[in-house]
């Protein structure tokens, strides 16, 4: 069994997010890191591999991004991936989620995985849909918001969060599964793993190497376009209720809550 884990380089959580008005894209010039949601997918892959219920020959981390994204792959390898694949090409710049999903699917086709895992969202775009787009291109079944995975007779029995509770679903392989952050607690990489990450195999691929149609990627090949940017409305000043008379203060607070149907 081969497991591919999709990972992404995102701006560090401590960096203030801003949109470049000239490109209408997220400014990625600051400090970057491995998408924290993808660490749960990596941990899920490692638990399946270490669980022994099914033989996992290798775990492969896959990303699409600029040269700097290699650092996210190094961290993915430090967390347990056996090797990594980076799709990087200037023709991919400006790709929306549809074009990105198509591109990643072409890379995965060349890897022929039995299972594709990824985090439920990225820490920057938060679109939640990349797994479904990839699965559609690969013609594989897909599950989202999965918080538990059990391997049984070559099939996966998954528990996923639903709007009004939990669904238990049995899915046949190959499949694409987006995991929620409640599925596990990602491990910390050891110093030895961190030091050895750069020595693990890293395969760099361009768009042409995996048969990507240039007309379906980049800004020109994207199905969506940002037309305008508007800052969020400024917050109104809050109301301060002075505690001069306790009974009167309580009445004011209750009236304020009741007016807004909060009680």
């Amino acid at each position: 069994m081969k497991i591919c884990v999709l990972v992404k380089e995102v701006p560090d959580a401590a960096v203030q997010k801003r949109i470049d008005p000239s490109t209408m894209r997220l400014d990625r010039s600051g400090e970057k890191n491995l998408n924290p949601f993808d660490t749960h997918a990596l941990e899920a892959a490692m638990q399946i591999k270490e669980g022994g219920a099914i033989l996992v020959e290798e775990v492969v981390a896959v990303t699409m991004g600029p040269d700097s994204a290699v650092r996210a792959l190094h961290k993915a390898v430090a967390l347990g991936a056996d090797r990594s694949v980076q799709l990087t090409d200037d023709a991919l710049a400006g790709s929306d989620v549809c074009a990105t999903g198509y591109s990643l699917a072409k890379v995965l086709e060349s890897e022929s995985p039995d299972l594709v895992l990824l985090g439920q969202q990225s820490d920057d775009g938060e679109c939640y849909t990349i797994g479904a787009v990839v699965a559609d291109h690969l013609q594989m079944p897909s599950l989202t918001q999965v918080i538990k995975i059990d391997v049984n007779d070559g099939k996966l029995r998954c528990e996923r969060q639903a709007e009004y509770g939990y669904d238990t679903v049995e899915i046949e392989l190959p499949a694409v599964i987006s995991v929620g952050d409640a599925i596990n607690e990602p491990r910390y990489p050891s110093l030895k793993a961190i030091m050895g990450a750069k020595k693990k195999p890293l395969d760099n691929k361009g768009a042409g190497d995996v048969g990507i149609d240039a007309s379906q990627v980049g800004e020109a090949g994207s199905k969506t376009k940002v037309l305008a940017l508007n800052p969020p409305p400024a917050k109104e000043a809050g109301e301060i209720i002075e505690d001069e008379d306790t009974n009167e203060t309580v009445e004011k607070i209750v009236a304020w809550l009741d007016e807004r149907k909060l009680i």
Side-chain angles (χ1 to χ4, degrees):
M1 179 183 186
K2 177 193 285 189
I3 302 177
C4 282
V5 183
L6 297 180
V7 300
K8 185 181 183 183
E9 176 193 65
V10 298
D12 190 84
V15 176
Q16 184 176 1
K17 311 298 188 297
R18 64 175 293 273
I19 302 295
D20 186 336
S22 63
T23 62
M24 297 293 188
R25 301 179 206 158
L26 185 67
D27 182 354
R28 300 178 182 275
S29 60
E31 187 67 25
K32 293 174 280 288
N33 208 336
L34 172 64
N35 178 37
F37 293 95
D38 294 337
T39 62
H40 295 278
L42 285 161
E43 178 63 28
M46 295 310 300
Q47 289 183 9
I48 293 173
K49 183 178 181 178
E50 296 166 355
I54 190 170
L55 176 62
V56 177
E57 296 174 347
E58 64 175 345
V59 175
V60 185
V62 179
T63 196
M64 169 179 153
D67 293 341
S68 62
V70 70
R71 289 177 293 182
L73 289 176
H74 286 158
K75 185 168 183 179
V77 170
L79 288 169
D82 298 294
R83 61 183 178 90
S84 57
V85 179
Q86 180 181 17
L87 174 63
T88 181
D89 197 303
D90 290 341
L92 302 171
S95 293
D96 67 355
V97 65
C98 297
T100 298
Y102 160 72
S103 302
L104 288 170
K106 297 299 285 186
V107 179
L108 292 169
E109 283 179 0
S110 68
E111 288 290 331
S112 299
D114 300 287
L115 177 62
V116 179
L117 295 174
L118 66 155
Q120 66 183 9
Q121 69 198 83
S122 63
D123 204 27
D124 49 3
E126 297 190 2
C127 67
Y128 289 82
T129 57
I130 194 69
V133 176
V134 168
D136 184 56
H137 283 289
L138 294 176
Q139 293 297 287
M140 291 182 182
S142 173
L143 287 178
T144 60
Q145 301 280 29
V146 171
I147 59 170
K148 186 178 181 181
I149 300 176
D150 292 319
V151 181
N152 187 18
D153 295 330
K155 298 180 180 179
L156 300 182
R157 188 176 180 87
C158 302
E159 188 173 301
R160 64 180 299 272
Q161 289 178 315
E163 187 175 2
Y164 299 109
Y166 299 91
D167 295 331
T168 300
V169 183
E170 188 175 81
I171 188 169
E172 294 187 357
L173 300 175
V176 179
I177 294 180
S178 303
V179 303
D181 53 1
I183 191 171
N184 53 43
E185 186 66 34
R187 66 192 66 188
Y188 289 98
S190 66
L191 179 60
K192 180 179 179 181
I194 294 173
M195 297 299 292
K198 294 182 180 181
K199 299 179 182 179
K200 290 288 186 72
L202 168 60
D203 189 5
N204 286 292
K205 294 182 180 294
D209 297 328
V210 292
I212 291 175
D213 182 349
S215 67
Q216 296 189 49
V217 297
E219 288 187 10
S222 296
K223 299 184 184 301
T224 60
K225 183 178 181 180
V226 178
L227 301 178
L229 295 171
N230 297 294
K235 289 186 178 181
E236 298 180 0
E239 180 180 350
I240 299 177
I241 300 176
E242 300 291 345
D243 189 17
E244 296 178 357
D245 184 312
T246 301
N247 292 331
E248 184 180 348
T249 299
V250 171
E251 290 177 3
K252 286 183 179 180
I253 293 174
V254 171
W256 187 92
L257 293 171
D258 185 50
E259 181 182 349
R260 290 158 179 77
K261 302 187 183 303
L262 298 175
I263 58 172

